[in-house]
Amino acid sequence: MRLDDVQISQFRNLSDVRIHPATDLNLIIGDNGSGKSSVLEAIHYLGFGRSFRTLKHTHVINKESQHFTLFCRATDESGTTVKLGYQRNRIGEPVIKANGEVLNRVSELARLFPVQLFMPNSSDVITGAPRMRRRFLDWGVFHVEHGFLRASVTYQNLLRQSNALLRKKSLSKDDMLDYWLCKLGDAGEVLDRYRKAFFLSLKPYLIANLGEFLPEFCFEISYHSGWDSDNKLSDVLHLQQEKDRRFGHVSSGPHKADLRLKADGVSAHEVLSRGQLRMLMAALLLAQSQLLHRLKSRSCVFLLDDIGAELDEEKRKVFVDALLKTSAQVFITAIDKQQVSFVENYKDIKVFHVEHGQVREE
Ligand SMILES: Nc1ncnc2c1ncn2[C@@H]1O[C@H](COP(=O)(O)OP(=O)(O)OP(=O)(O)O)[C@@H](O)[C@H]1O
């Protein structure tokens, strides 16, 4: 997907902005607080239906306004024009439209428009809780495996149902806990198969990227299902039933899955510097973009917020070069052009200057 026209209205300090981005590379330059990240945040909304800075939609609506509106005209990989719109009021649900038709779910928007984000705290995925690595992995599985979303929703519903039963003080036969744990086990196996297959496809790209980005380390990357997957999940769930009743929740399954990353035999977050962690994260995100391009002939819109932070010039260039090879459309924010001087060699590039919420193309 490639954005041709982006219109942003009443979003943070951007009251009325319209840009026509370049196909390859877009630089968004401005002082602190000028509104650069808000431009990326608005594009992120069009791909994820949410911000990357707050969970509260009301915070992104311009203080003087009752709603914000985003619109983009894009071209997909087959050359078809796609029009997406997103509007949100201070109360109520958003109105999401694709080519004039109302979409009922954010996932439908996400399916149409793959967006990736790289920002200074992206490496929290590596250092943070397993939930963050699952979210990272699932973004890719969602875009590559169309059955994954349904499998994931089914599993989450069954998990809720099973947890509610496990928390009940006394269970009767009518509660059919065994039945629900069997169903949960089967649904979990389906989800796990999707993730495993995706991870196996992703791994070679990741290893190749790391060989280029961080050649000084030897990496081991593994996927863990969330239970000892040599055994059937439903058998495990039945065996641990008593323990899970004491805890009040199901303690094993795909909701406990994780990606483990080791550098020279030690957990990556214990040995890598902040800059190296960021490069590891760049390698992970790039691998997803490469795989999506390879398997589905799809390209991402890639948002790089404050790329200057902790990545030296050589690493920034290697990363952006590699992204453009996946036909990604890249948006980079920086305080001044010096931070992104490495882009001078690129041909298809546009520079946008942001000042007090106004955007001007150079
Ligand atoms: N709801 C809102 N309404 C109006 N203005 C807002 C709102 N939320 C944030 N702002 C302001 O919008 C501006 C945009 O901030 P943004 O984070 O996009 O700036 P930036 O150019 O990326 O800055 P930095 O380089 O410091 O990250 C800030 O001045 C912020 O105070």
Side-chain angles (χ1 to χ4, degrees):
M1 188 83 114
R2 179 189 81 216
L3 294 171
D4 302 312
D5 182 4
V6 180
Q7 294 174 44
I8 304 168
S9 169
Q10 307 303 336
F11 189 91
R12 294 213 189 256
N13 70 335
L14 310 171
S15 52
D16 186 18
V17 162
R18 183 168 193 180
I19 56 171
H20 293 95
T23 305
D24 285 352
L25 195 53
N26 297 279
L27 300 185
I28 309 198
I29 310 288
D31 291 337
N32 290 132
S34 56
K36 308 179 291 297
S37 302
S38 302
V39 175
L40 299 198
E41 196 180 16
I43 297 173
H44 187 272
Y45 246 103
L46 284 166
F48 286 89
R50 62 176 167 79
S51 161
F52 54 80
R53 300 199 275 194
T54 174
L55 293 174
K56 297 214 166 93
H57 298 284
T58 49
H59 288 185
V60 305
I61 300 173
N62 185 282
K63 284 174 197 152
E64 314 277 299
S65 179
Q66 289 309 307
H67 65 265
F68 72 82
T69 309
L70 308 171
F71 170 80
C72 76
R73 184 167 45 77
T75 309
D76 73 10
E77 290 69 20
S78 64
T80 308
T81 298
V82 182
K83 291 178 180 170
L84 302 177
Y86 188 107
Q87 188 178 65
R88 185 132 209 164
N89 291 313
R90 290 197 177 272
I91 44 168
E93 294 300 310
V95 179
I96 310 172
K97 286 189 181 171
N99 296 324
E101 303 264 329
V102 173
L103 303 183
N104 294 317
R105 292 188 188 87
V106 170
S107 58
E108 295 173 59
L109 184 69
R111 177 87 68 210
L112 287 168
F113 187 33
V115 178
Q116 289 272 44
L117 170 72
F118 181 75
M119 59 176 179
N121 64 358
S122 288
S123 41
D124 289 356
V125 169
I126 300 158
T127 56
R131 158 178 59 83
M132 301 181 77
R133 289 180 288 285
R134 285 195 295 277
R135 193 191 288 173
F136 160 80
L137 191 68
D138 288 351
W139 182 92
V141 195
F142 166 79
H143 279 288
V144 167
E145 298 284 358
H146 275 202
F148 175 74
L149 179 64
R150 180 185 282 266
S152 177
V153 171
T154 304
Y155 181 78
Q156 290 304 331
N157 288 340
L158 289 166
L159 183 63
R160 253 193 307 279
Q161 168 82 6
S162 306
N163 282 341
L165 288 177
L166 289 169
R167 277 196 284 274
K168 270 183 97 170
K169 283 218 168 61
S170 58
L171 280 174
S172 72
K173 265 194 173 168
D174 291 344
D175 287 322
M176 300 194 302
L177 179 62
D178 283 341
Y179 167 81
W180 289 110
L181 291 182
C182 257
K183 299 259 297 176
L184 180 67
D186 292 346
E189 302 263 1
V190 174
L191 198 59
D192 184 56
R193 273 198 293 278
Y194 278 126
R195 283 184 178 153
K196 262 191 187 140
F198 178 79
F199 176 72
L200 281 179
S201 312
L202 186 75
K203 196 171 166 180
Y205 289 94
L206 190 48
I207 296 289
N209 293 343
L210 287 170
E212 200 177 342
F213 288 8
L214 293 165
E216 61 274 38
F217 291 99
C218 176
F219 284 94
E220 289 162 58
I221 299 132
S222 52
Y223 165 72
H224 294 258
S225 299
W227 80 97
D228 175 2
S229 60
D230 288 341
N231 298 309
K232 257 183 88 180
L233 179 58
S234 54
D235 291 345
V236 172
L237 297 179
H238 283 110
L239 278 175
Q240 68 184 29
Q241 217 182 105
E242 280 315 307
K243 183 182 79 175
D244 286 354
R245 287 205 66 196
R246 281 198 301 280
F247 288 153
H249 63 261
V250 178
S251 59
S252 306
H255 60 292
K256 298 283 177 183
D258 200 1
L259 273 186
R260 298 206 185 129
L261 301 138
K262 287 188 175 179
D264 295 341
V266 182
S267 288
H269 69 270
E270 293 183 56
V271 275
L272 300 188
S273 72
R274 281 208 308 269
Q276 288 166 338
L277 281 170
R278 291 200 80 205
M279 271 327 267
L280 171 53
M281 197 56 222
L284 282 161
L285 290 169
L286 173 65
Q288 283 198 330
S289 191
Q290 289 165 323
L291 191 58
L292 193 60
H293 193 237
R294 178 66 195 270
L295 294 182
K296 297 277 162 186
S297 304
R298 298 203 68 193
S299 49
C300 302
V301 165
F302 228 101
L303 311 174
L304 305 177
D305 197 16
D306 196 7
I307 195 177
E310 287 155 30
L311 281 194
D312 60 47
E313 181 158 333
E314 181 52 31
K315 301 274 192 220
R316 286 174 224 160
K317 184 173 172 349
V318 169
F319 184 29
V320 172
D321 271 348
L323 281 179
L324 292 176
K325 281 192 194 131
T326 69
S327 301
Q329 185 182 34
V330 179
F331 292 78
I332 302 178
T333 64
I335 289 179
D336 55 50
K337 271 168 105 181
Q338 262 177 346
Q339 279 190 318
V340 280
S341 52
F342 67 92
V343 301
E344 272 164 12
N345 298 334
Y346 297 109
K347 283 198 190 85
D348 182 36
I349 173 166
K350 281 192 182 179
V351 181
F352 299 95
H353 293 270
V354 188
E355 266 175 62
H356 306 298
Q358 303 288 320
V359 182
R360 169 179 60 81
E361 188 178 328
E362 187 171 288

